[in-house]
Amino acid sequence: MSDPQQPRLTPIDEWENEAEAMLDDVEYDTDLGVQMARDAIRVSNGELTDAEFHEKYHEAVLEEFGEDERPTKPEGFEDD
Amino acid sequence: MTKHGLVIDQERCIGCQACAVSCKQENNVPMGQFWNRVLTEGGEKMDTPSGGYPEDGGSGSLDMQYQPTACQHCENAPCVKVCPVNATYTRDDGIVEIDYDKCIGCRYCMAACPYNARVFNWDEPEHMPEEGTGDVEARPQGVVEKCTFCSHRVDEGLDPACVVNCPADARIFGDLDDESSTVSKYIDKYETDQLLEDRGTDPNTYYISGEMSPGRPQTSDKMESELDDVSPWSDGDDDVPSKEADSAGGESSGSSHSVEGGEIPYATPAKSGGDD
């Protein structure tokens, strides 16, 4: 695999391996990062709304990071 | 509203890496890291063409295109959506930036970026010379960093360093929300692509391919919006070419290079470096 530190265009079929490699050794949840990355692209694609994305990961993000300051928070959404 | 965007004319790009080097210098990018690189499309590895050499008097089929790549400053930036601490954010003018004081180094943004445009400072950044370069403070160990469209320059009314230093005038920066800007006119007139369009990120970086554009019209460091007249003679100090300069210039006048009135400025096309 090429160095994930350096800019390149990743073929879609290689992306997930590369994303996992990027999150290796990080002190946060690798699986959560990969899942959120995948769904963030789905938001960009219009397959998922910002609000759905926010709600789907809100609890996991809170648990992992102790805060959830993502800009996808829908109006009126109440933090736990 | 202003929405900053970049047009890169791949037909003009000669793959000289001046954009990569000037970016590194201007933004104090650490040793071993690049925010801005010139990739190649062609063979399986960097700087290798596809196709074959001519044989038996044939014409051959070698082909390679330069692909300058950095942060695309996406309208629907996935990196922004995944940042749990809102360290990565989109400015009102469309520039995607990182608040390095907020960044906790989780690297979720790196995983979400389809362009691999972000780098992480695993170690204490090293600079050459040690005191660093350019006008931007060094980022600390443990944060993600990337191209900012040289926001520190843009805020001063100057084009990004990569744009000003491109010897082929292949990079044009401007306001995508302004129909009269050169970037808007080029996107309208020429065949342009955004990278990985199928992912819906809607980058504010566009690539011209096919027909070569006249390139960046002004020589000034200033952004187009800061100039009264956009012409190859404009150094930004005196935006309108003087009569003396016109008469001394001989065959051309500043007005023929203006982008006023829907005209596309003419400049001598650079030799294409895209097809080797």
Side-chain angles (χ1 to χ4, degrees):
Chain A
M1 194 191 316
S2 65
D3 181 359
Q5 276 282 88
Q6 298 304 339
R8 64 185 286 265
L9 292 175
T10 308
I12 193 91
D13 53 349
E14 291 176 22
W15 166 81
E16 193 143 329
N17 288 338
E18 210 158 89
E20 281 173 11
M22 281 175 192
L23 297 175
D24 248 6
D25 300 328
V26 75
E27 57 185 290
Y28 300 98
D29 187 338
T30 299
D31 290 339
L32 177 63
V34 172
Q35 285 169 25
M36 287 179 70
R38 187 190 299 123
D39 277 341
I41 295 288
R42 292 180 65 210
V43 175
S44 298
N45 269 336
E47 295 173 33
L48 203 64
T49 66
D50 273 354
E52 286 168 340
F53 175 75
H54 194 87
E55 285 170 28
K56 181 173 179 179
Y57 291 105
H58 178 63
E59 282 185 20
V61 168
L62 268 185
E63 191 177 329
E64 191 63 32
F65 298 97
E67 59 182 317
D68 184 4
E69 297 300 324
R70 289 174 296 148
T72 48
K73 183 176 170 179
E75 214 167 298
F77 184 85
E78 291 194 11
D79 288 330
D80 293 335
Chain B
M1 287 287 281
T2 297
K3 185 168 75 175
H4 292 302
L6 180 67
V7 170
I8 300 175
D9 185 342
Q10 287 178 282
E11 302 301 325
R12 297 187 73 85
C13 178
I14 55 173
C16 68
Q17 306 278 348
C19 51
V21 173
S22 56
C23 166
K24 204 167 166 62
Q25 164 91 15
E26 175 68 29
N27 291 289
N28 207 7
V29 179
M31 298 283 284
Q33 308 276 48
F34 286 92
W35 289 1
N36 197 346
R37 294 193 74 188
V38 182
L39 310 179
T40 55
E41 285 180 324
E44 289 182 9
K45 295 178 181 173
M46 276 278 291
D47 290 318
T48 58
S50 61
Y53 289 100
E55 287 180 15
D56 302 326
S59 60
S61 59
L62 288 176
D63 185 59
M64 190 176 82
Q65 282 270 325
Y66 294 113
Q67 178 65 65
T69 308
C71 174
Q72 304 289 297
H73 296 276
C74 304
E75 195 76 2
N76 302 320
C79 56
V80 171
K81 297 181 194 300
V82 299
C83 180
V85 296
N86 201 24
T88 286
Y89 63 99
T90 306
R91 297 183 359 159
D92 289 342
D93 59 5
I95 296 177
V96 176
E97 270 201 340
I98 300 170
D99 182 335
Y100 301 110
D101 291 330
K102 284 186 179 176
C103 180
I104 56 173
C106 70
R107 305 205 296 275
Y108 281 20
C109 57
M110 291 178 69
C113 173
Y115 307 102
N116 276 335
R118 293 168 168 253
V119 294
F120 183 68
N121 289 336
W122 288 99
D123 303 307
E124 194 62 46
E126 290 179 31
H127 299 273
M128 186 69 72
E130 277 183 27
E131 61 270 26
T133 58
D135 294 322
V136 183
E137 196 178 342
R139 282 69 55 189
Q141 181 179 9
V143 302
V144 171
E145 54 179 74
K146 68 164 194 75
C147 158
T148 64
F149 266 168
C150 281
S151 57
H152 62 290
R153 290 177 59 89
V154 170
D155 291 343
E156 299 291 325
L158 301 172
D159 267 348
C162 61
V163 170
V164 170
N165 289 296
C166 175
D169 293 328
R171 305 171 79 95
I172 307 102
F173 186 76
D175 182 3
L176 297 171
D177 275 353
D178 177 1
E179 287 180 4
S180 66
S181 67
T182 301
V183 283
S184 295
K185 286 179 179 173
Y186 282 6
I187 290 168
D188 186 48
K189 179 177 170 65
Y190 296 94
E191 184 182 331
T192 55
D193 296 298
Q194 295 159 296
L195 293 183
L196 307 177
E197 285 181 46
D198 59 323
R199 300 190 201 184
T201 51
D202 193 12
N204 286 328
T205 303
Y206 293 79
Y207 294 85
I208 293 176
S209 58
E211 186 186 354
M212 185 185 291
S213 78
R216 182 176 185 259
Q218 76 269 32
T219 56
S220 171
D221 278 7
K222 289 183 181 176
M223 287 197 297
E224 185 181 50
S225 57
E226 300 293 310
L227 299 170
D228 294 330
D229 173 64
V230 180
S231 78
W233 291 274
S234 175
D235 60 7
D237 292 333
D238 179 5
D239 294 341
V240 181
S242 66
K243 286 182 180 174
E244 291 78 12
D246 278 351
S247 58
E251 62 192 75
S252 301
S253 70
S255 59
S256 68
H257 290 247
S258 168
V259 293
E260 295 292 320
E263 295 286 322
I264 299 290
Y266 172 81
T268 308
K271 185 183 176 190
S272 172
D275 299 311
D276 289 339

